Amino acid sequence: KYPGLVANRILGIMMLLYATILGHNLAVELGYFNRFPHLLLVPLGFTLLAAPLHYFYARFLTHPDARFGRKDWLHALPALLYWLAISPDFAVSAQDLNARLSVAAETISPRFILFNLLLVLQAMIYLGLTLVLIRKFHQRLRLMFSSLERLKLTWLQQMTFLLIAAWLIFAMEEFLLMLGINLTSFDLSSLLIGVYIYLMGYMALLKSEIFSQPALAGPMHLLEAMDTEALEKSNRYEKSGLSPERAQALTSALVEVMDQKKPFTNNEL
């Protein structure tokens, strides 16, 4: 739906990624990886792409002219480093790897703790950057549109806060597990992330329609070149060559248009 929006392509990749992660978790619970434990490790790297994709979705939605550049691939570096780190495990037999994973699960290995802590840290950074993007987008909107309700990304802001809450609960569960307290087995954070996936997919497809309408496409692209602070503080017209007579004539013409045609009644302007 609305394939012209780059943000929706990012959304599709993100939903596919989450589907893979959820499928992986289900397969773990059902014991499908006992025969092929090496495959158990690979999808874990996808979790390192989840928060960056959320950020990129917000970035491409708020900056419709943005394109995915070579430098943007650096955001996938943590996932690549993870896959490099587990590459020696593929030289181990399935039996030995199963034994090693069983010991790691029972003793909570430092490798497991470090991975989860890095996940939380990365998520907080990217989700914080997403909130900054949304705040700046709302500031630019006020300078371009008179009717903001349909264009504001309050829903994405709320989805971001929901994901932050899920990661914070995940961090709390991890901390309690380190103390030997296993209250939820990460079920609470998993539930919140599941709710986020469902709501994010639904709301994103529902709300992205407004950004694809031709009447708004032009103004939305103009937002790319707008610097909020510069526009609000600009004094570029202080030394304008406009004469007082010409200024008065333009003012009179503007007042006449406002009185007769009342363009301010059109919320789409």
Side-chain angles (χ1 to χ4, degrees), residues 194-231:
V195 172
Y196 157 81
I197 294 171
Y198 175 80
L199 291 178
M200 183 67 181
Y202 175 77
M203 293 297 292
L205 291 179
L206 182 67
K207 296 290 187 178
S208 62
E209 177 181 5
I210 186 66
F211 294 95
S212 65
Q213 294 180 2
L216 297 173
M220 287 297 298
H221 287 300
L222 287 177
L223 289 175
E224 284 290 292
M226 295 176 64
D227 184 330
T228 302
E229 294 184 1
L231 284 171

PDB file of all heavy atoms in Angstrom, residues 194-231:
ATOM      1  N   GLY A 194       5.123  -7.511  21.187  1.00  0.00           N
ATOM      2  CA  GLY A 194       4.100  -8.059  20.310  1.00  0.00           C
ATOM      3  C   GLY A 194       2.980  -7.061  20.051  1.00  0.00           C
ATOM      4  O   GLY A 194       2.511  -6.916  18.908  1.00  0.00           O
ATOM      5  N   VAL A 195       2.541  -6.356  21.094  1.00  0.00           N
ATOM      6  CA  VAL A 195       1.522  -5.311  20.937  1.00  0.00           C
ATOM      7  C   VAL A 195       2.041  -4.199  20.037  1.00  0.00           C
ATOM      8  O   VAL A 195       1.326  -3.683  19.170  1.00  0.00           O
ATOM      9  CB  VAL A 195       1.111  -4.752  22.321  1.00  0.00           C
ATOM     10  CG1 VAL A 195       0.204  -3.525  22.165  1.00  0.00           C
ATOM     11  CG2 VAL A 195       0.404  -5.827  23.136  1.00  0.00           C
ATOM     12  N   TYR A 196       3.307  -3.832  20.233  1.00  0.00           N
ATOM     13  CA  TYR A 196       3.916  -2.781  19.393  1.00  0.00           C
ATOM     14  C   TYR A 196       3.915  -3.199  17.922  1.00  0.00           C
ATOM     15  O   TYR A 196       3.578  -2.395  17.044  1.00  0.00           O
ATOM     16  CB  TYR A 196       5.339  -2.503  19.873  1.00  0.00           C
ATOM     17  CG  TYR A 196       6.218  -1.890  18.805  1.00  0.00           C
ATOM     18  CD1 TYR A 196       6.167  -0.531  18.527  1.00  0.00           C
ATOM     19  CD2 TYR A 196       7.097  -2.689  18.061  1.00  0.00           C
ATOM     20  CE1 TYR A 196       6.965   0.034  17.539  1.00  0.00           C
ATOM     21  CE2 TYR A 196       7.889  -2.132  17.080  1.00  0.00           C
ATOM     22  CZ  TYR A 196       7.821  -0.775  16.825  1.00  0.00           C
ATOM     23  OH  TYR A 196       8.613  -0.233  15.830  1.00  0.00           O
ATOM     24  N   ILE A 197       4.293  -4.445  17.632  1.00  0.00           N
ATOM     25  CA  ILE A 197       4.368  -4.906  16.238  1.00  0.00           C
ATOM     26  C   ILE A 197       2.997  -4.807  15.572  1.00  0.00           C
ATOM     27  O   ILE A 197       2.868  -4.307  14.450  1.00  0.00           O
ATOM     28  CB  ILE A 197       4.892  -6.353  16.188  1.00  0.00           C
ATOM     29  CG1 ILE A 197       6.335  -6.415  16.679  1.00  0.00           C
ATOM     30  CG2 ILE A 197       4.806  -6.905  14.766  1.00  0.00           C
ATOM     31  CD1 ILE A 197       6.853  -7.825  16.875  1.00  0.00           C
ATOM     32  N   TYR A 198       1.971  -5.265  16.272  1.00  0.00           N
ATOM     33  CA  TYR A 198       0.624  -5.233  15.708  1.00  0.00           C
ATOM     34  C   TYR A 198       0.164  -3.787  15.478  1.00  0.00           C
ATOM     35  O   TYR A 198      -0.308  -3.440  14.386  1.00  0.00           O
ATOM     36  CB  TYR A 198      -0.343  -5.956  16.644  1.00  0.00           C
ATOM     37  CG  TYR A 198      -1.786  -5.858  16.193  1.00  0.00           C
ATOM     38  CD1 TYR A 198      -2.283  -6.690  15.195  1.00  0.00           C
ATOM     39  CD2 TYR A 198      -2.652  -4.928  16.773  1.00  0.00           C
ATOM     40  CE1 TYR A 198      -3.599  -6.593  14.772  1.00  0.00           C
ATOM     41  CE2 TYR A 198      -3.969  -4.827  16.357  1.00  0.00           C
ATOM     42  CZ  TYR A 198      -4.434  -5.662  15.359  1.00  0.00           C
ATOM     43  OH  TYR A 198      -5.735  -5.554  14.947  1.00  0.00           O
ATOM     44  N   LEU A 199       0.292  -2.948  16.506  1.00  0.00           N
ATOM     45  CA  LEU A 199      -0.178  -1.567  16.398  1.00  0.00           C
ATOM     46  C   LEU A 199       0.644  -0.768  15.397  1.00  0.00           C
ATOM     47  O   LEU A 199       0.097   0.056  14.652  1.00  0.00           O
ATOM     48  CB  LEU A 199      -0.140  -0.895  17.774  1.00  0.00           C
ATOM     49  CG  LEU A 199      -1.149  -1.398  18.799  1.00  0.00           C
ATOM     50  CD1 LEU A 199      -0.953  -0.673  20.127  1.00  0.00           C
ATOM     51  CD2 LEU A 199      -2.574  -1.199  18.304  1.00  0.00           C
ATOM     52  N   MET A 200       1.940  -1.009  15.362  1.00  0.00           N
ATOM     53  CA  MET A 200       2.807  -0.271  14.452  1.00  0.00           C
ATOM     54  C   MET A 200       2.435  -0.568  13.006  1.00  0.00           C
ATOM     55  O   MET A 200       2.316   0.348  12.175  1.00  0.00           O
ATOM     56  CB  MET A 200       4.263  -0.644  14.705  1.00  0.00           C
ATOM     57  CG  MET A 200       5.270   0.124  13.854  1.00  0.00           C
ATOM     58  SD  MET A 200       5.310   1.882  14.280  1.00  0.00           S
ATOM     59  CE  MET A 200       6.531   2.459  13.099  1.00  0.00           C
ATOM     60  N   GLY A 201       2.247  -1.829  12.685  1.00  0.00           N
ATOM     61  CA  GLY A 201       1.876  -2.187  11.322  1.00  0.00           C
ATOM     62  C   GLY A 201       0.533  -1.613  10.928  1.00  0.00           C
ATOM     63  O   GLY A 201       0.367  -1.071   9.828  1.00  0.00           O
ATOM     64  N   TYR A 202      -0.432  -1.695  11.838  1.00  0.00           N
ATOM     65  CA  TYR A 202      -1.781  -1.201  11.547  1.00  0.00           C
ATOM     66  C   TYR A 202      -1.800   0.314  11.410  1.00  0.00           C
ATOM     67  O   TYR A 202      -2.318   0.869  10.430  1.00  0.00           O
ATOM     68  CB  TYR A 202      -2.729  -1.644  12.656  1.00  0.00           C
ATOM     69  CG  TYR A 202      -4.128  -1.085  12.505  1.00  0.00           C
ATOM     70  CD1 TYR A 202      -5.013  -1.613  11.574  1.00  0.00           C
ATOM     71  CD2 TYR A 202      -4.552  -0.028  13.309  1.00  0.00           C
ATOM     72  CE1 TYR A 202      -6.291  -1.099  11.438  1.00  0.00           C
ATOM     73  CE2 TYR A 202      -5.823   0.491  13.175  1.00  0.00           C
ATOM     74  CZ  TYR A 202      -6.694  -0.048  12.243  1.00  0.00           C
ATOM     75  OH  TYR A 202      -7.955   0.479  12.108  1.00  0.00           O
ATOM     76  N   MET A 203      -1.234   1.010  12.401  1.00  0.00           N
ATOM     77  CA  MET A 203      -1.283   2.466  12.409  1.00  0.00           C
ATOM     78  C   MET A 203      -0.465   3.064  11.278  1.00  0.00           C
ATOM     79  O   MET A 203      -0.865   4.063  10.664  1.00  0.00           O
ATOM     80  CB  MET A 203      -0.777   2.997  13.752  1.00  0.00           C
ATOM     81  CG  MET A 203      -1.677   2.660  14.937  1.00  0.00           C
ATOM     82  SD  MET A 203      -3.318   3.406  14.799  1.00  0.00           S
ATOM     83  CE  MET A 203      -2.899   5.144  14.982  1.00  0.00           C
ATOM     84  N   ALA A 204       0.678   2.468  10.978  1.00  0.00           N
ATOM     85  CA  ALA A 204       1.539   3.016   9.933  1.00  0.00           C
ATOM     86  C   ALA A 204       0.856   2.972   8.572  1.00  0.00           C
ATOM     87  O   ALA A 204       0.883   3.941   7.808  1.00  0.00           O
ATOM     88  CB  ALA A 204       2.858   2.252   9.887  1.00  0.00           C
ATOM     89  N   LEU A 205       0.214   1.847   8.251  1.00  0.00           N
ATOM     90  CA  LEU A 205      -0.482   1.744   6.970  1.00  0.00           C
ATOM     91  C   LEU A 205      -1.707   2.642   6.933  1.00  0.00           C
ATOM     92  O   LEU A 205      -2.057   3.192   5.891  1.00  0.00           O
ATOM     93  CB  LEU A 205      -0.878   0.293   6.708  1.00  0.00           C
ATOM     94  CG  LEU A 205       0.274  -0.671   6.430  1.00  0.00           C
ATOM     95  CD1 LEU A 205      -0.254  -2.080   6.201  1.00  0.00           C
ATOM     96  CD2 LEU A 205       1.085  -0.222   5.219  1.00  0.00           C
ATOM     97  N   LEU A 206      -2.357   2.802   8.073  1.00  0.00           N
ATOM     98  CA  LEU A 206      -3.552   3.637   8.134  1.00  0.00           C
ATOM     99  C   LEU A 206      -3.207   5.120   8.015  1.00  0.00           C
ATOM    100  O   LEU A 206      -3.875   5.874   7.300  1.00  0.00           O
ATOM    101  CB  LEU A 206      -4.289   3.376   9.454  1.00  0.00           C
ATOM    102  CG  LEU A 206      -5.603   4.143   9.670  1.00  0.00           C
ATOM    103  CD1 LEU A 206      -6.661   3.656   8.677  1.00  0.00           C
ATOM    104  CD2 LEU A 206      -6.086   3.966  11.098  1.00  0.00           C
ATOM    105  N   LYS A 207      -2.153   5.533   8.681  1.00  0.00           N
ATOM    106  CA  LYS A 207      -1.829   6.959   8.757  1.00  0.00           C
ATOM    107  C   LYS A 207      -0.942   7.439   7.619  1.00  0.00           C
ATOM    108  O   LYS A 207      -0.847   8.646   7.377  1.00  0.00           O
ATOM    109  CB  LYS A 207      -1.116   7.254  10.086  1.00  0.00           C
ATOM    110  CG  LYS A 207      -1.974   7.004  11.318  1.00  0.00           C
ATOM    111  CD  LYS A 207      -3.082   8.015  11.444  1.00  0.00           C
ATOM    112  CE  LYS A 207      -3.836   7.871  12.759  1.00  0.00           C
ATOM    113  NZ  LYS A 207      -4.895   8.889  12.911  1.00  0.00           N
ATOM    114  N   SER A 208      -0.266   6.533   6.919  1.00  0.00           N
ATOM    115  CA  SER A 208       0.663   6.976   5.878  1.00  0.00           C
ATOM    116  C   SER A 208      -0.054   7.468   4.631  1.00  0.00           C
ATOM    117  O   SER A 208       0.559   8.108   3.770  1.00  0.00           O
ATOM    118  CB  SER A 208       1.606   5.833   5.494  1.00  0.00           C
ATOM    119  OG  SER A 208       0.876   4.742   4.961  1.00  0.00           O
ATOM    120  N   GLU A 209      -1.356   7.216   4.516  1.00  0.00           N
ATOM    121  CA  GLU A 209      -2.113   7.637   3.335  1.00  0.00           C
ATOM    122  C   GLU A 209      -2.030   9.143   3.125  1.00  0.00           C
ATOM    123  O   GLU A 209      -1.914   9.618   1.995  1.00  0.00           O
ATOM    124  CB  GLU A 209      -3.575   7.222   3.480  1.00  0.00           C
ATOM    125  CG  GLU A 209      -4.453   7.684   2.324  1.00  0.00           C
ATOM    126  CD  GLU A 209      -5.895   7.270   2.508  1.00  0.00           C
ATOM    127  OE1 GLU A 209      -6.216   6.719   3.574  1.00  0.00           O
ATOM    128  OE2 GLU A 209      -6.688   7.510   1.592  1.00  0.00           O
ATOM    129  N   ILE A 210      -2.078   9.899   4.224  1.00  0.00           N
ATOM    130  CA  ILE A 210      -2.089  11.353   4.125  1.00  0.00           C
ATOM    131  C   ILE A 210      -0.829  11.877   3.455  1.00  0.00           C
ATOM    132  O   ILE A 210      -0.849  12.876   2.741  1.00  0.00           O
ATOM    133  CB  ILE A 210      -2.254  11.981   5.535  1.00  0.00           C
ATOM    134  CG1 ILE A 210      -2.415  13.495   5.446  1.00  0.00           C
ATOM    135  CG2 ILE A 210      -1.076  11.628   6.432  1.00  0.00           C
ATOM    136  CD1 ILE A 210      -3.673  13.934   4.772  1.00  0.00           C
ATOM    137  N   PHE A 211       0.313  11.172   3.624  1.00  0.00           N
ATOM    138  CA  PHE A 211       1.573  11.647   3.073  1.00  0.00           C
ATOM    139  C   PHE A 211       1.716  11.350   1.587  1.00  0.00           C
ATOM    140  O   PHE A 211       2.649  11.818   0.952  1.00  0.00           O
ATOM    141  CB  PHE A 211       2.746  11.025   3.845  1.00  0.00           C
ATOM    142  CG  PHE A 211       2.833  11.473   5.265  1.00  0.00           C
ATOM    143  CD1 PHE A 211       2.257  10.712   6.280  1.00  0.00           C
ATOM    144  CD2 PHE A 211       3.468  12.652   5.606  1.00  0.00           C
ATOM    145  CE1 PHE A 211       2.328  11.125   7.598  1.00  0.00           C
ATOM    146  CE2 PHE A 211       3.539  13.075   6.922  1.00  0.00           C
ATOM    147  CZ  PHE A 211       2.963  12.313   7.922  1.00  0.00           C
ATOM    148  N   SER A 212       0.803  10.571   1.040  1.00  0.00           N
ATOM    149  CA  SER A 212       0.872  10.227  -0.375  1.00  0.00           C
ATOM    150  C   SER A 212      -0.088  11.045  -1.232  1.00  0.00           C
ATOM    151  O   SER A 212      -0.106  10.905  -2.448  1.00  0.00           O
ATOM    152  CB  SER A 212       0.560   8.734  -0.575  1.00  0.00           C
ATOM    153  OG  SER A 212      -0.775   8.457  -0.200  1.00  0.00           O
ATOM    154  N   GLN A 213      -0.906  11.911  -0.618  1.00  0.00           N
ATOM    155  CA  GLN A 213      -1.875  12.690  -1.369  1.00  0.00           C
ATOM    156  C   GLN A 213      -1.182  13.794  -2.158  1.00  0.00           C
ATOM    157  O   GLN A 213      -0.335  14.513  -1.603  1.00  0.00           O
ATOM    158  CB  GLN A 213      -2.922  13.289  -0.430  1.00  0.00           C
ATOM    159  CG  GLN A 213      -3.800  12.242   0.237  1.00  0.00           C
ATOM    160  CD  GLN A 213      -4.839  12.850   1.154  1.00  0.00           C
ATOM    161  OE1 GLN A 213      -4.939  14.079   1.272  1.00  0.00           O
ATOM    162  NE2 GLN A 213      -5.620  12.001   1.805  1.00  0.00           N
ATOM    163  N   PRO A 214      -1.534  13.971  -3.432  1.00  0.00           N
ATOM    164  CA  PRO A 214      -0.874  14.986  -4.279  1.00  0.00           C
ATOM    165  C   PRO A 214      -0.972  16.399  -3.724  1.00  0.00           C
ATOM    166  O   PRO A 214      -0.051  17.184  -3.868  1.00  0.00           O
ATOM    167  CB  PRO A 214      -1.631  14.863  -5.607  1.00  0.00           C
ATOM    168  CG  PRO A 214      -2.169  13.478  -5.614  1.00  0.00           C
ATOM    169  CD  PRO A 214      -2.506  13.164  -4.192  1.00  0.00           C
ATOM    170  N   ALA A 215      -2.094  16.725  -3.068  1.00  0.00           N
ATOM    171  CA  ALA A 215      -2.269  18.084  -2.539  1.00  0.00           C
ATOM    172  C   ALA A 215      -1.266  18.415  -1.450  1.00  0.00           C
ATOM    173  O   ALA A 215      -0.989  19.590  -1.180  1.00  0.00           O
ATOM    174  CB  ALA A 215      -3.683  18.243  -1.995  1.00  0.00           C
ATOM    175  N   LEU A 216      -0.704  17.367  -0.821  1.00  0.00           N
ATOM    176  CA  LEU A 216       0.237  17.592   0.277  1.00  0.00           C
ATOM    177  C   LEU A 216       1.663  17.232  -0.095  1.00  0.00           C
ATOM    178  O   LEU A 216       2.588  17.567   0.646  1.00  0.00           O
ATOM    179  CB  LEU A 216      -0.184  16.765   1.501  1.00  0.00           C
ATOM    180  CG  LEU A 216      -1.540  17.129   2.113  1.00  0.00           C
ATOM    181  CD1 LEU A 216      -1.900  16.132   3.195  1.00  0.00           C
ATOM    182  CD2 LEU A 216      -1.512  18.529   2.689  1.00  0.00           C
ATOM    183  N   ALA A 217       1.828  16.546  -1.209  1.00  0.00           N
ATOM    184  CA  ALA A 217       3.166  16.079  -1.587  1.00  0.00           C
ATOM    185  C   ALA A 217       4.135  17.240  -1.767  1.00  0.00           C
ATOM    186  O   ALA A 217       5.270  17.198  -1.301  1.00  0.00           O
ATOM    187  CB  ALA A 217       3.090  15.252  -2.869  1.00  0.00           C
ATOM    188  N   GLY A 218       3.677  18.299  -2.471  1.00  0.00           N
ATOM    189  CA  GLY A 218       4.554  19.450  -2.705  1.00  0.00           C
ATOM    190  C   GLY A 218       5.003  20.125  -1.425  1.00  0.00           C
ATOM    191  O   GLY A 218       6.197  20.278  -1.160  1.00  0.00           O
ATOM    192  N   PRO A 219       4.042  20.547  -0.572  1.00  0.00           N
ATOM    193  CA  PRO A 219       4.440  21.156   0.699  1.00  0.00           C
ATOM    194  C   PRO A 219       5.294  20.252   1.564  1.00  0.00           C
ATOM    195  O   PRO A 219       6.203  20.707   2.249  1.00  0.00           O
ATOM    196  CB  PRO A 219       3.087  21.450   1.367  1.00  0.00           C
ATOM    197  CG  PRO A 219       2.136  21.614   0.245  1.00  0.00           C
ATOM    198  CD  PRO A 219       2.602  20.636  -0.808  1.00  0.00           C
ATOM    199  N   MET A 220       5.023  18.939   1.546  1.00  0.00           N
ATOM    200  CA  MET A 220       5.819  18.034   2.357  1.00  0.00           C
ATOM    201  C   MET A 220       7.269  18.003   1.883  1.00  0.00           C
ATOM    202  O   MET A 220       8.195  17.941   2.683  1.00  0.00           O
ATOM    203  CB  MET A 220       5.223  16.620   2.294  1.00  0.00           C
ATOM    204  CG  MET A 220       3.931  16.465   3.071  1.00  0.00           C
ATOM    205  SD  MET A 220       4.149  16.731   4.836  1.00  0.00           S
ATOM    206  CE  MET A 220       5.284  15.428   5.232  1.00  0.00           C
ATOM    207  N   HIS A 221       7.465  18.059   0.573  1.00  0.00           N
ATOM    208  CA  HIS A 221       8.832  18.075   0.053  1.00  0.00           C
ATOM    209  C   HIS A 221       9.531  19.388   0.402  1.00  0.00           C
ATOM    210  O   HIS A 221      10.751  19.419   0.578  1.00  0.00           O
ATOM    211  CB  HIS A 221       8.825  17.866  -1.455  1.00  0.00           C
ATOM    212  CG  HIS A 221       8.505  16.469  -1.861  1.00  0.00           C
ATOM    213  ND1 HIS A 221       9.265  15.390  -1.471  1.00  0.00           N
ATOM    214  CD2 HIS A 221       7.495  15.956  -2.600  1.00  0.00           C
ATOM    215  CE1 HIS A 221       8.753  14.270  -1.963  1.00  0.00           C
ATOM    216  NE2 HIS A 221       7.672  14.587  -2.651  1.00  0.00           N
ATOM    217  N   LEU A 222       8.765  20.480   0.505  1.00  0.00           N
ATOM    218  CA  LEU A 222       9.372  21.756   0.865  1.00  0.00           C
ATOM    219  C   LEU A 222       9.906  21.742   2.287  1.00  0.00           C
ATOM    220  O   LEU A 222      10.824  22.488   2.605  1.00  0.00           O
ATOM    221  CB  LEU A 222       8.341  22.888   0.722  1.00  0.00           C
ATOM    222  CG  LEU A 222       7.972  23.294  -0.709  1.00  0.00           C
ATOM    223  CD1 LEU A 222       6.886  24.359  -0.680  1.00  0.00           C
ATOM    224  CD2 LEU A 222       9.191  23.810  -1.455  1.00  0.00           C
ATOM    225  N   LEU A 223       9.341  20.901   3.124  1.00  0.00           N
ATOM    226  CA  LEU A 223       9.812  20.824   4.503  1.00  0.00           C
ATOM    227  C   LEU A 223      11.273  20.395   4.582  1.00  0.00           C
ATOM    228  O   LEU A 223      11.954  20.668   5.557  1.00  0.00           O
ATOM    229  CB  LEU A 223       8.956  19.836   5.302  1.00  0.00           C
ATOM    230  CG  LEU A 223       7.520  20.278   5.617  1.00  0.00           C
ATOM    231  CD1 LEU A 223       6.781  19.152   6.302  1.00  0.00           C
ATOM    232  CD2 LEU A 223       7.503  21.517   6.456  1.00  0.00           C
ATOM    233  N   GLU A 224      11.733  19.696   3.534  1.00  0.00           N
ATOM    234  CA  GLU A 224      13.115  19.231   3.506  1.00  0.00           C
ATOM    235  C   GLU A 224      14.101  20.387   3.633  1.00  0.00           C
ATOM    236  O   GLU A 224      15.142  20.268   4.279  1.00  0.00           O
ATOM    237  CB  GLU A 224      13.375  18.496   2.192  1.00  0.00           C
ATOM    238  CG  GLU A 224      12.792  17.106   2.124  1.00  0.00           C
ATOM    239  CD  GLU A 224      13.534  16.169   3.051  1.00  0.00           C
ATOM    240  OE1 GLU A 224      14.702  15.873   2.786  1.00  0.00           O
ATOM    241  OE2 GLU A 224      12.941  15.755   4.049  1.00  0.00           O
ATOM    242  N   ALA A 225      13.785  21.501   2.988  1.00  0.00           N
ATOM    243  CA  ALA A 225      14.730  22.613   2.922  1.00  0.00           C
ATOM    244  C   ALA A 225      14.544  23.606   4.055  1.00  0.00           C
ATOM    245  O   ALA A 225      15.219  24.631   4.101  1.00  0.00           O
ATOM    246  CB  ALA A 225      14.579  23.343   1.587  1.00  0.00           C
ATOM    247  N   MET A 226      13.633  23.292   4.944  1.00  0.00           N
ATOM    248  CA  MET A 226      13.320  24.255   5.996  1.00  0.00           C
ATOM    249  C   MET A 226      14.145  24.000   7.245  1.00  0.00           C
ATOM    250  O   MET A 226      14.219  22.884   7.741  1.00  0.00           O
ATOM    251  CB  MET A 226      11.833  24.201   6.341  1.00  0.00           C
ATOM    252  CG  MET A 226      10.920  24.632   5.213  1.00  0.00           C
ATOM    253  SD  MET A 226       9.179  24.451   5.640  1.00  0.00           S
ATOM    254  CE  MET A 226       9.053  25.629   6.986  1.00  0.00           C
ATOM    255  N   ASP A 227      14.753  25.039   7.744  1.00  0.00           N
ATOM    256  CA  ASP A 227      15.471  25.003   9.011  1.00  0.00           C
ATOM    257  C   ASP A 227      14.623  25.778  10.004  1.00  0.00           C
ATOM    258  O   ASP A 227      14.500  26.990   9.911  1.00  0.00           O
ATOM    259  CB  ASP A 227      16.854  25.644   8.863  1.00  0.00           C
ATOM    260  CG  ASP A 227      17.688  25.553  10.133  1.00  0.00           C
ATOM    261  OD1 ASP A 227      17.084  25.542  11.223  1.00  0.00           O
ATOM    262  OD2 ASP A 227      18.911  25.509  10.021  1.00  0.00           O
ATOM    263  N   THR A 228      14.031  25.095  10.941  1.00  0.00           N
ATOM    264  CA  THR A 228      13.053  25.708  11.832  1.00  0.00           C
ATOM    265  C   THR A 228      13.611  26.924  12.564  1.00  0.00           C
ATOM    266  O   THR A 228      13.032  28.003  12.551  1.00  0.00           O
ATOM    267  CB  THR A 228      12.571  24.679  12.871  1.00  0.00           C
ATOM    268  OG1 THR A 228      12.025  23.568  12.161  1.00  0.00           O
ATOM    269  CG2 THR A 228      11.513  25.276  13.776  1.00  0.00           C
ATOM    270  N   GLU A 229      14.747  26.752  13.190  1.00  0.00           N
ATOM    271  CA  GLU A 229      15.294  27.855  13.969  1.00  0.00           C
ATOM    272  C   GLU A 229      15.666  29.027  13.079  1.00  0.00           C
ATOM    273  O   GLU A 229      15.468  30.186  13.430  1.00  0.00           O
ATOM    274  CB  GLU A 229      16.503  27.367  14.761  1.00  0.00           C
ATOM    275  CG  GLU A 229      16.136  26.332  15.823  1.00  0.00           C
ATOM    276  CD  GLU A 229      17.346  25.950  16.648  1.00  0.00           C
ATOM    277  OE1 GLU A 229      18.427  26.518  16.377  1.00  0.00           O
ATOM    278  OE2 GLU A 229      17.201  25.105  17.538  1.00  0.00           O
ATOM    279  N   ALA A 230      16.231  28.701  11.917  1.00  0.00           N
ATOM    280  CA  ALA A 230      16.627  29.775  11.008  1.00  0.00           C
ATOM    281  C   ALA A 230      15.409  30.550  10.517  1.00  0.00           C
ATOM    282  O   ALA A 230      15.441  31.777  10.394  1.00  0.00           O
ATOM    283  CB  ALA A 230      17.383  29.202   9.814  1.00  0.00           C
ATOM    284  N   LEU A 231      14.315  29.839  10.239  1.00  0.00           N
ATOM    285  CA  LEU A 231      13.116  30.514   9.763  1.00  0.00           C
ATOM    286  C   LEU A 231      12.476  31.364  10.853  1.00  0.00           C
ATOM    287  O   LEU A 231      11.968  32.456  10.589  1.00  0.00           O
ATOM    288  CB  LEU A 231      12.108  29.473   9.261  1.00  0.00           C
ATOM    289  CG  LEU A 231      12.420  28.848   7.896  1.00  0.00           C
ATOM    290  CD1 LEU A 231      11.474  27.702   7.626  1.00  0.00           C
ATOM    291  CD2 LEU A 231      12.301  29.885   6.807  1.00  0.00           C
TER     292      LEU A 231
END
